[in-house]
Amino acid sequence: MKIATYNVNGVNGRLPVLLRWLAEEQPDVVCLQELKAPQEKFPQQAIIDAGYNAIWHGQKSWNGVAILARGMEIQEVSRGLPGDDEDTQSRYIEAVVNGILIGGLYLPNGNPAPGPKFDYKLSWFERLHKHAARLVELDIPVILTGDFNVMPTEQDVYKPERWVDDALFRPETRDAFHKLIAQGWTDAIRKLYPTETIYTFWDYFRNAYGRDAGLRIDHFLLNPKIADRLKSAGVDRHVRGWEKTSDHAPVWIELAEK
DNA sequence: ATGGCCTTGCATCAAGGA
């Protein structure tokens, strides 16, 4: 079973790229982030025609998350991260697919830092900690995946010294990520590739992809009930080289059947 | 150190992104 996460940076503008990638790689489950489309503008028919069921949490202009599943039922559990009724940003969706509880998330960017946007990022992280603490202990397989907007270590940044004051790499942000992992989650990519340089995002600026000036900010966290089923993982980085592509590449893991 | 680019939207620039 192959599960992927992909920050598409606009699901409608990116539809040809998304459909081509789905057809070529045929992931079983896909978590999408940055739909940048209101609920009624999600390209549902095109996704169905591609062979996928879908649930999504849209929002005009910004954010937006979805879960796709190929030929499998998606049982939605919740949308929106608990803990703040005032938070109207569409950044979390949770569902059960094939016996696995999947939380798809788009963590706030947080720049500029310090400031209110960074405060929002850290408070969102705190809410995620509370929710994830329950999920990690569940007696069923749980996967938290998406765009975390965090480079966990210096290994995950092409030029770490340039990013120390950035909201994606500040000590508070890295601490928050490591506290999350310490609950008992496995960072799937790092588990399989402990020393390799692996990026999932390349800026549109300065030929970042051509120079491989990337960041690793899209992650898969596995709870103990599923960590042993991790077979392989990777980044479809060639997709980042396509025309009209997202600044993120799709990331995936493959799980053994029970 | 700076700027570079791309997306969406009551648009022809602004805001957000990372």
Side-chain angles (χ1 to χ4, degrees), chain A residues 87-159:
Chain A
D87 186 359
T88 56
Q89 301 191 22
S90 299
R91 294 181 175 275
Y92 187 79
I93 191 163
E94 190 176 292
V96 175
V97 180
N98 198 21
I100 302 173
L101 182 64
I102 297 168
L105 64 90
Y106 174 47
L107 215 137
N109 174 305
N111 278 307
K117 291 188 174 178
F118 192 57
D119 295 341
Y120 174 62
K121 178 174 197 158
L122 295 181
S123 69
W124 207 94
F125 237 133
E126 282 177 25
R127 288 160 58 200
L128 181 61
H129 284 154
K130 288 202 180 94
H131 189 57
R134 287 195 294 272
L135 297 182
V136 76
E137 302 288 352
L138 291 179
D139 204 33
I140 58 167
V142 183
I143 298 174
L144 275 178
T145 188
D147 178 359
F148 284 70
N149 270 318
V150 180
M151 295 86 87
T153 73
E154 296 196 343
Q155 199 181 354
D156 303 308
V157 195
Y158 66 97
K159 199 171 268 197

Side-chain angles (χ1 to χ4, degrees), chain A residues 168-184:
Chain A
L168 280 69
F169 197 54
R170 287 175 69 94
E172 303 95 314
T173 306
R174 279 183 272 171
D175 284 351
F177 186 84
H178 295 129
K179 273 180 196 143
L180 179 63
I181 294 290
Q183 292 177 346

Side-chain angles (χ1 to χ4, degrees), chain A residues 64 86 88 99 124 164 175 178 192 222 248 258:
Chain A
E86 311 280 291
T88 56
W124 207 94
V164 286
D175 284 351
H178 295 129
L192 293 180
L222 313 182
H248 295 248
K258 285 167 269 183

